[in-house]
Amino acid sequence: ESCGSCGQDLSTEELWQKVLREVTAQELRAPLHRLGALQVAWWLAAGCLGTTARLLRLLSHAEDSGGACCSEGKSELLSLLKAWRIPAEEASLPLVQSTEDLKEILCTAAAFLQGLQELEAGNFPTAIYLLQEAAGGFCSKRVLAQIYTCLGCCAQRMGKPQTALQHLKQALQVDFQCLPALYHAAAVYHELGETDTELQALALLYQALETNPPAGASSSPYFLLRTELLVHTPILSSLLRHRHSSEVKYLLAQRCLQDGRVANAVEHYLDFLALLQEGLQQQVPLDSCSALPRIPEVFLEAASALEQAGRLRDAITLCEEVISRTTDLIPRTLRVEERLEQTECLSPGAGLSQKESLCCLAWRAAGYLHQGWAWAKLGKSKEAVTQFSRGCLEDAVSRCMCLFVPENLLPEVEVLQKIRLLSLIGRGMQFLELGKHKEALLDFQHGLQISPGDPAAASYLVQALWKLNRKQEAAAHWQKVFQSPPGEDEQQEGQGRPCPLYLVSCQKQVSFPQGQSLARSIQDYLRAAGRDPAS
């Protein structure tokens, strides 16, 4: 307007194009470049990297039309920023922040933003280059630690765990309060199988979160425009997400249970359950980014730990809590079909989705399964058989398994089938101990119908036939199952989804302990019958 030109109805980018094309007064060149620096900061903060690059091309061309400051290297935007010559301010001006300092911050922010963009896209070598450029730029210690953390995450995704650890250690050396770096270091140690070091890192992280330290202060001079104000993207928020102390406490419990450190696992799980009673659910959002599983699964994992530690009554009590909380949520009739409008829910749990109803059904059945094993270890066979029977889903709800299962519900149905199988084998084992070999045989047969070729069910089936003096059938079945190449069903079983942690101990308890002795007995029988056991 001051130059007699009209910019009405133009976008900001179009207005810049018009101004730089039509304003020729030399005294306005320096102010325009300084204003351009603010515009670049604004657009970088908004993530408009392409628009920023176009403006820099215009400014560079306006400043020196004969030179080409664009680069064909790793980042055109970064090359344009580095080559951009901003006229200096007059020495008499009292400045809060010089344009030269602002340019350094813009270069750091641009490299950081583009590095994150390439990291998210999976272009890891380019991301490493750009993040290293950012690490060499002008920023606070807090931002530098964040950049090193991102470098560590990038190296981890590239399959370079040792390099990742070096970057994460650099982050902690620069800013010891950069706790996301410690969290990611624990994850790298987990990948390397260094459980002791992983648990130490998680324990340090939990201790640091419990002391609730103040946010790390920047050691750089205070500026109005800083890198941390220009870089805020979803991937950065995800990588630098601060974990709640309860999440770390759960991870400690989970890793101890996975590694067989039962006493430590019990301690951590009980601490975590105490946090639940203090209103943890209001403190921690249970979203997809959280390390916490569903609360009933935590209870079941804790029950598994207590059971393995010999605290059987406590395990039974904890499972009863899961059972009582989920029973009223399970519909009387649950039709698992592809079309949701065909779902029938005839109980107080009518508001639940199919997926949620199946989860509740699985949690309740798993509670019965764990109670069955606890009663069995207490020597209470009758109670064990009762709880195993309930875990077998031998009620009206189990009819939901008979219908077509849509793809999105397969994981839940597979877990249910796994629980049914483990319950049938557990009950069959109790029947064997009670001398009820026919009942045991039926359970193992039903187990093999659910999971054809399951080694535990097949082994116990052979044992039951042997105890019933049906030795010829036992030998034939043994030869069929254990001397034949694995069939399609067994191969699919081996490639299935991992077993939930709360079922791992039950899986171990059904493993057949007498495989070699039973095999020798069958081989002796086959030799005595004049048949080659290897044929």
Side-chain angles (χ1 to χ4, degrees), residues 4 30 51 88 117 172 261 271 278 294 297 305 317 345 367 398 401 411 471 478 491 499-500:
T51 309
Q117 197 175 65
L172 290 166
R261 307 178 188 215
D271 288 344
E278 296 172 6
R294 302 293 298 276
E297 293 181 13
T317 302
C345 296
S398 66
M401 318 297 287
K471 296 185 177 181
W478 180 80
Q491 291 176 346
C499 185

Side-chain angles (χ1 to χ4, degrees), residues 33-35 37-38 41 84 86-91 93-106 138 221-226:
H33 275 263
R34 291 194 284 271
L35 188 61
L38 295 178
W84 183 24
I86 307 178
E89 298 89 346
E90 296 177 15
L93 288 175
L95 299 175
V96 175
Q97 184 173 5
S98 71
T99 50
E100 195 57 38
D101 288 336
L102 178 55
K103 177 186 169 182
E104 291 295 322
I105 288 171
L106 294 177
F138 189 69
Y222 181 82
F223 289 127
L224 287 177
L225 290 177
R226 306 184 300 281

Side-chain angles (χ1 to χ4, degrees), residues 20-37:
L20 291 173
R21 186 174 62 248
E22 297 183 4
V23 175
T24 57
Q26 287 300 316
E27 64 271 18
L28 291 178
R29 282 297 174 194
L32 275 175
H33 275 263
R34 291 194 284 271
L35 188 61

Side-chain angles (χ1 to χ4, degrees), residues 341-506:
E341 63 267 19
Q342 293 181 355
T343 304
E344 295 179 21
C345 296
L346 305 175
S347 80
L352 296 180
S353 66
Q354 288 177 321
K355 193 179 188 75
E356 194 72 3
S357 296
L358 285 171
C359 286
C360 290
L361 185 57
W363 296 329
R364 186 182 70 167
Y368 288 136
L369 174 62
H370 279 290
Q371 285 185 332
W373 282 114
W375 284 118
K377 291 178 180 179
L378 287 168
K380 305 285 187 179
S381 296
K382 181 180 178 181
E383 289 84 351
V385 167
T386 299
Q387 299 310 96
F388 281 134
S389 298
R390 290 170 174 166
C392 292
L393 303 170
E394 293 179 341
D395 52 23
V397 179
S398 66
R399 297 195 197 102
C400 73
M401 318 297 287
C402 304
L403 301 172
F404 173 76
V405 179
E407 185 74 23
N408 66 313
L409 298 180
L410 274 177
E412 288 72 25
V413 172
E414 286 180 8
V415 170
L416 269 173
Q417 295 288 53
K418 188 71 174 178
I419 295 170
R420 289 189 72 197
L421 172 65
L422 295 173
S423 298
L424 284 165
I425 297 175
R427 188 174 67 176
M429 291 168 64
Q430 291 300 302
F431 282 143
L432 283 178
E433 289 187 15
L434 293 170
K436 297 182 177 182
H437 301 146
K438 290 183 180 179
E439 290 86 343
L441 179 62
L442 285 173
D443 277 346
F444 301 139
Q445 287 173 334
H446 289 158
L448 286 172
Q449 288 175 2
I450 292 172
S451 179
D454 180 81
S459 300
Y460 281 110
L461 175 66
V462 171
Q463 186 184 41
L465 288 168
W466 194 260
K467 287 181 177 292
L468 286 167
N469 205 29
R470 294 161 59 175
K471 296 185 177 181
Q472 187 173 353
E473 291 179 64
H477 194 81
W478 180 80
Q479 285 181 307
K480 177 184 175 183
V481 174
F482 297 102
Q483 293 188 341
S484 303
E488 184 178 344
D489 290 334
E490 294 172 76
Q491 291 176 346
Q492 289 179 353
E493 179 73 18
Q495 298 170 359
R497 295 176 179 84
C499 185
L501 180 58
Y502 60 84
L503 292 180
V504 170
S505 62
C506 301

Side-chain angles (χ1 to χ4, degrees), residues 217 249 335 401 521:
K249 174 60 73 173
R335 296 178 62 85
M401 318 297 287
S521 298

Side-chain angles (χ1 to χ4, degrees), residues 3 12 14 38 40 59 97 126 134 203 218 269 281-282 290 305 310 320 344 359 368 372 377 436 443 445 463 469:
C3 296
T12 307
E14 291 169 338
L38 295 178
V40 168
L59 289 168
Q97 184 173 5
T126 306
S218 171
Y269 273 115
Q281 287 169 294
Q282 281 71 46
S290 173
E320 194 58 43
E344 295 179 21
C359 286
Y368 288 136
K377 291 178 180 179
K436 297 182 177 182
D443 277 346
Q445 287 173 334
Q463 186 184 41
N469 205 29

Side-chain angles (χ1 to χ4, degrees), residues 94-403:
L95 299 175
V96 175
Q97 184 173 5
S98 71
T99 50
E100 195 57 38
D101 288 336
L102 178 55
K103 177 186 169 182
E104 291 295 322
I105 288 171
L106 294 177
C107 287
T108 303
F112 197 1
L113 282 166
Q114 287 194 297
L116 290 170
Q117 197 175 65
E118 297 297 329
L119 173 58
E120 190 170 23
N123 301 323
F124 301 130
T126 306
I128 290 285
Y129 165 79
L130 290 164
L131 290 171
Q132 287 174 338
E133 284 282 321
F138 189 69
C139 61
S140 66
K141 286 186 175 182
R142 181 183 178 188
V143 172
L144 182 58
Q146 293 176 354
I147 295 170
Y148 280 132
T149 301
C150 294
L151 278 165
C153 293
C154 189
Q156 183 185 11
R157 295 183 187 186
M158 292 175 74
K160 298 180 178 180
Q162 296 300 336
T163 305
L165 287 175
Q166 290 176 5
H167 289 308
L168 294 170
K169 287 176 182 177
Q170 283 178 303
L172 290 166
Q173 287 168 355
V174 170
D175 181 5
F176 68 92
Q177 293 179 354
C178 184
L179 300 184
L182 190 55
Y183 176 83
H184 289 296
V188 175
Y189 286 124
H190 177 64
E191 285 185 8
L192 291 171
E194 298 182 19
T195 306
D196 288 334
T197 315
E198 177 197 358
L199 292 175
Q200 288 174 9
L202 288 174
L204 283 172
L205 179 57
Y206 178 76
Q207 184 179 3
L209 290 169
E210 280 291 279
T211 55
N212 195 23
S218 171
S219 61
S220 299
Y222 181 82
F223 289 127
L224 287 177
L225 290 177
R226 306 184 300 281
T227 307
E228 48 264 57
L229 298 179
L230 306 181
V231 182
H232 41 79
T233 65
I235 185 174
L236 183 63
S237 300
S238 175
L239 294 174
L240 300 180
R241 178 179 175 270
H242 281 277
R243 305 285 167 173
H244 194 276
S245 60
S246 59
E247 294 180 79
V248 181
K249 174 60 73 173
Y250 169 74
L251 282 175
L252 280 165
Q254 181 196 57
R255 292 296 297 122
C256 286
L257 183 58
Q258 288 172 335
D259 198 54
R261 307 178 188 215
V262 176
N264 292 334
V266 167
E267 179 185 348
H268 291 309
Y269 273 115
L270 293 180
D271 288 344
F272 180 80
L273 294 178
L275 289 172
L276 280 182
Q277 293 182 337
E278 296 172 6
L280 170 65
Q281 287 169 294
Q282 281 71 46
Q283 301 172 37
V284 184
L286 301 180
D287 53 24
S288 59
C289 297
S290 173
L292 297 177
R294 302 293 298 276
I295 297 302
E297 293 181 13
V298 178
F299 271 69
L300 291 168
E301 290 173 15
S304 175
L306 288 165
E307 182 189 330
Q308 293 177 69
R311 297 174 59 173
L312 303 173
R313 299 279 180 179
D314 291 336
I316 291 171
T317 302
L318 209 52
C319 288
E320 194 58 43
E321 181 76 11
V322 176
I323 293 165
S324 63
R325 294 293 185 94
T326 54
T327 295
D328 290 340
L329 299 175
I330 300 171
R332 290 196 197 96
T333 304
L334 177 61
R335 296 178 62 85
V336 181
E337 296 183 338
E338 194 165 19
R339 290 181 296 171
L340 291 178
E341 63 267 19
Q342 293 181 355
T343 304
E344 295 179 21
C345 296
L346 305 175
S347 80
L352 296 180
S353 66
Q354 288 177 321
K355 193 179 188 75
E356 194 72 3
S357 296
L358 285 171
C359 286
C360 290
L361 185 57
W363 296 329
R364 186 182 70 167
Y368 288 136
L369 174 62
H370 279 290
Q371 285 185 332
W373 282 114
W375 284 118
K377 291 178 180 179
L378 287 168
K380 305 285 187 179
S381 296
K382 181 180 178 181
E383 289 84 351
V385 167
T386 299
Q387 299 310 96
F388 281 134
S389 298
R390 290 170 174 166
C392 292
L393 303 170
E394 293 179 341
D395 52 23
V397 179
S398 66
R399 297 195 197 102
C400 73
M401 318 297 287
C402 304
L403 301 172

